[in-house]
Amino acid sequence: MTQVDTLVSNATLAPSREAPPASRSRWLSAYFGTPGNALITILCLGTVFALAKLAIGWLFVDATFVGTPAECKATSGACWPFLSAKMRYIFFGFYPFEEQWRPLTAMLLFLGACLVSMVPKVWGRGLLVAWVAVVLPVLYVLMAGGYFGLTVVPTTQWGGLPLSFMLSFIGLACALPLGIALALARASNLPAIRVLGVGFIEIVRGVPLISILFMATVMLPLFMPNGITIDKLVRAQVAIILFAAAYIAEIVRGGLQAVPKGQVEAGHSLGLHYWQIMRKIVLPQALKKVIPPLVSLFIGFFQDTTLVTIVGLLDFLDTVRTAMRDPQWQGIAVLEGYVFAAVVYFVFSALMGAYSRFLEQYFRTTHD
Amino acid sequence: MPLFYDARIRAYLYQVIAVGVVLLVAWVMFSTASANLAKQDIATGFGFLARQAGFVITESAITYEPTDTIGRAILVGIANTVKVSLLAALFGTVLGLLVGIGRLSHNPVLSRLMLAYVEALRNVPLLLYLLLWYSLIISVFPPVKQAIEMLPGVFLSNSGLVTPALHWQSGFAALAAALVVGVAAAFVTVRVLGRRRIVTGMERPIALFAATAFLLPLVATLLFANISVAWDVPELGRFRLSGGYHLRPEFVALLLGLTLSVSANVAEIVRAGIQAVSKGQWEAATALGLSRARTLKLVILPQALRIIIPPLTNTYLTVFKNSSLAIAIGYPDLVMVSNTIMNQTGQAIEAIAIFMGVYLGLSILISLVMNWYNARVALRER
């Protein structure tokens, strides 16, 4: 090849390099650019199609939509009549049948109140007062009864989704102040208080939630004076609160460490004492920084409340399991309940996850 | 009250009050508990550990008979917990690494598929998945009477997979020793040849040398040592399979559930770690002409590892603690064995104290090991 030839070929190469790739070819190269890439695409699509075929076949094609248990047994697909027959039990457990409008109302009220509280603009003291003074008492009266002519329903008959919501959300709401107190104890200058804080946090974080639930349900009655019994639901709730508080404490500690020391020193120079500095200067900044990880933690705990079924509480997962063990449907609806429960948990968790990402975005774009 | 306004005195006062309250609560609980126990005629103490257990444990990583002591039963529980969490951590890490890298792929189909995988696992409670896998295994496979014989001596049924078991007559120690020697020899070979290559710059097939060093002792043992094994082949009786090695559905469901949950967490950690490595590193490696796979292996992963280790520690601690969910599907882990003991002997406080103590001790051990590893790979800045 002569020098001229090389020059010519370079010259012809140059413009083609600068030409923008057509959008169609870019799209193609993303999926089938190299042989390896094409192979990956084909393998993935194959997997997706195989799974989709399996799922659609079971969920819709071979499924029974209306009918009796016997008709369900005849087909190989999903058995949807099971869900419609057992729906009220799955959602509300052993709550008296005629009174089930009460947990339903309570749940809707609760979800509505949560939805309103999710907007960062309404956060403030007023919202807190509204929850403590209005929403929670109304929820309690609706569930437990005893006032306004509502019949009393003991906690042993509570169950299903309202119970799951209550255990997770009320548990976390109570755990938050405790967790903040523990984080402050851990960051304290006073050695004895620091040791107590560290000891509690590390012990609770080092053991599984089940062991704390066991402790609350099996061991706690032994520590109670004769004649005093605490409701099983309350005991499990206390266990969840203590467990969540230790994890919240570690997250809040991260936030406390992220607040510059100068903020505390500035507070001191203004003559404020410890609690004023913490309440007015440090905590507002620290908590704002840790809101996204806190929401992620909340998702985890919403899922962890399923463990109460192990100590015999009738939460949503447990009502689903009991419904499947019903003699009428046993051996027919083996998976339908679990799939339904998985969808319910997925939807709530994914919504909270999306909310967490929204908060992260919100605090990145607004002040600090 | 001028004393009360002295900051130091106040600090002491707060601490004394805090410690005092804790001690008071502890004392009240202790005295009521011992009064309650005395009333119920339950002897306190750990003497019950030496008693005969008398219950069957369906699966154990160490030998166990119902005639053994309760202490031995607890050891079985610990061994089972450690076994399932170690395996789940191992498989989950490998799977999670692949999923995490797949999530960053330029191929949109692959990355979205991996995203769906991670989201499906992270947004549904682990307990629900365990129950789902368990009932799936139970319902999909046929009952024992119609067990499928996949290979001669390998039976698959809803009570699990049964394969022929190996019983070593002799030569087991020699083989194990050969294995250890082989691993050590391969390790030394890689180190020595690697250093030689750095000094001399000459390319040698290190992998080949290492494989030879690993296989040589094994081959020598197989040829010259007296090795004899007996096969314990399972037989299909009228109601059950007898003999052989039994992989139970409880174990498989638990291992599967834990592995998948670890893999989803590891995938997210790996993705975050890789994304935290600055883009310039990718560009520099590409400029040097390294392929994407080699860039990942030689440049990106070693740096990402530093970011990955601490959250990975948390994941391992979580899987260890989550293995306690075994009780829901009936795999005899530490919690389930303790629960059985609690029901049989009534020693609730001691049983719970033992298993909480074991979890706490092993948790601390895991974090110590991982912190040691973290300190080794951490960036050393002057």
Side-chain angles (χ1 to χ4, degrees), chain A residues 15-368:
Chain A
S16 73
R17 263 191 200 164
E18 280 165 20
S23 70
R24 183 145 168 253
S25 79
R26 202 190 303 157
W27 182 86
L28 260 180
S29 83
Y31 289 91
F32 300 100
T34 59
N37 204 11
L39 189 72
I40 291 175
T41 305
I42 290 166
L43 279 180
C44 288
L45 287 180
T47 316
V48 170
F49 280 129
L51 285 177
K53 203 178 152 217
L54 207 69
I56 290 173
W58 188 74
L59 286 171
F60 304 111
V61 180
D62 299 330
T64 316
F65 289 95
V66 278
T68 58
E71 286 172 48
C72 269
K73 201 161 193 172
T75 55
S76 61
C79 174
W80 298 125
F82 161 73
L83 279 186
S84 44
K86 284 284 168 187
M87 191 54 76
R88 286 183 70 163
Y89 177 77
I90 286 177
F91 274 124
F92 303 118
F94 288 116
Y95 209 89
F97 197 77
E98 318 76 50
E99 302 285 333
Q100 282 179 358
W101 61 272
R102 281 161 51 184
L104 182 68
T105 320
M107 215 163 68
L108 292 177
L109 173 71
F110 177 77
L111 289 178
C114 280
L115 217 57
V116 172
S117 317
M118 278 166 93
V119 182
K121 288 222 170 68
V122 302
W123 291 355
R125 203 161 289 172
L127 187 70
L128 194 68
V129 171
W131 267 98
V132 174
V134 182
V135 179
L136 289 181
V138 171
L139 288 178
Y140 179 76
V141 169
L142 269 175
M143 287 298 289
Y147 299 92
F148 310 110
L150 296 171
T151 48
V152 176
V153 178
T155 56
T156 44
Q157 292 184 354
W158 298 11
L161 208 50
L163 189 77
S164 285
F165 278 143
M166 199 190 86
L167 282 172
S168 49
F169 285 82
I170 294 180
L172 287 161
C174 296
L176 195 60
L178 186 59
I180 293 171
L182 279 170
L184 288 177
R186 186 163 191 166
S188 162
N189 291 326
L190 312 178
I193 289 180
R194 195 169 57 229
V195 166
L196 287 179
V198 172
F200 178 85
I201 292 171
E202 292 303 329
I203 288 176
V204 171
R205 279 162 47 93
V207 297
L209 175 54
I210 288 195
S211 65
I212 299 195
L213 284 171
F214 264 126
M215 206 165 105
T217 50
V218 181
M219 227 159 107
L220 204 61
L222 289 174
F223 289 123
M224 285 291 139
N226 216 6
I228 297 182
T229 49
I230 302 178
D231 194 273
K232 197 173 178 185
L233 188 61
V234 177
R235 275 185 268 151
Q237 181 77 82
V238 168
I240 287 177
I241 291 173
L242 292 180
F243 192 71
Y247 282 80
I248 290 174
E250 283 298 279
I251 289 180
V252 173
R253 181 169 76 117
L256 288 177
Q257 284 173 349
V259 176
K261 225 176 169 184
Q263 299 284 332
V264 179
E265 286 159 4
H268 275 304
S269 69
L270 285 176
L272 302 179
H273 61 71
Y274 178 81
W275 289 111
Q276 283 173 324
I277 294 173
M278 285 302 151
R279 204 163 56 81
K280 291 186 190 298
I281 301 174
V282 177
L283 276 179
Q285 299 182 53
L287 289 181
K288 197 180 249 175
K289 284 188 210 303
V290 295
I291 285 171
L294 275 182
V295 177
S296 304
L297 185 83
F298 281 19
I299 300 173
F301 272 96
F302 173 60
Q303 298 179 5
D304 276 352
T305 50
T306 50
L307 299 200
V308 297
T309 108
I310 290 173
V311 292
L313 282 176
L314 209 64
D315 79 320
F316 181 58
L317 183 59
D318 203 58
T319 51
V320 170
R321 286 172 71 198
T322 338
M324 292 193 306
R325 280 201 296 264
D326 184 316
Q328 220 190 333
W329 298 93
Q330 187 152 32
I332 297 164
V334 183
L335 299 175
E336 287 78 354
Y338 287 138
V339 172
F340 175 71
V343 169
V344 170
Y345 277 107
F346 183 90
V347 167
F348 280 109
S349 301
L351 282 178
M352 280 191 277
Y355 178 60
S356 155
R357 282 190 289 278
F358 157 75
L359 280 182
E360 224 162 307
Q361 204 65 37
Y362 181 85
F363 284 113
R364 197 177 294 148
T365 48
T366 54
H367 46 283
D368 190 20

Side-chain angles (χ1 to χ4, degrees), chain B residues 173-259:
Chain B
L175 208 62
L179 205 66
V180 172
V181 169
V183 168
F187 186 72
V188 169
T189 315
V190 169
R191 285 299 283 266
V192 168
L193 288 183
R195 243 178 236 158
R196 277 291 284 281
R197 188 171 71 180
I198 290 171
V199 172
T200 62
M202 275 194 289
E203 191 73 41
R204 281 223 182 76
I206 294 182
L208 199 68
F209 280 116
T212 319
F214 173 68
L215 287 176
L216 219 56
L218 276 182
V219 174
T221 322
L222 286 177
L223 285 180
F224 300 113
N226 173 29
I227 294 177
S228 66
V229 291
W231 287 93
D232 177 12
V233 182
E235 272 176 57
L236 189 58
R238 262 181 71 84
F239 298 107
R240 60 190 206 96
L241 286 155
S242 51
Y245 178 73
H246 198 160
L247 199 62
R248 282 168 204 281
E250 293 84 24
F251 175 74
V252 176
L254 183 65
L255 184 61
L256 188 67
L258 290 177
T259 301

Side-chain angles (χ1 to χ4, degrees), chain B residues 270-343:
Chain B
V270 167
R271 182 184 61 89
I274 289 177
Q275 280 180 340
V277 176
S278 77
K279 219 177 154 193
Q281 300 284 331
W282 279 104
E283 288 163 354
T286 316
L288 288 175
L290 290 182
S291 72
R292 226 179 118 75
R294 278 177 75 81
T295 308
L296 198 63
K297 188 182 149 219
L298 297 173
V299 181
I300 305 299
L301 277 184
Q303 297 184 65
L305 214 56
R306 296 192 179 117
I307 308 159
I308 288 172
I309 299 291
L312 203 59
T313 308
N314 275 338
T315 306
Y316 290 158
L317 287 173
T318 309
V319 69
F320 170 60
K321 284 180 277 173
N322 277 348
S323 68
S324 62
L325 299 190
I327 195 173
I329 54 175
Y331 172 75
D333 78 323
L334 177 57
V335 174
M336 194 179 147
V337 171
S338 305
N339 196 34
T340 313
I341 293 168
M342 210 149 58
N343 290 337

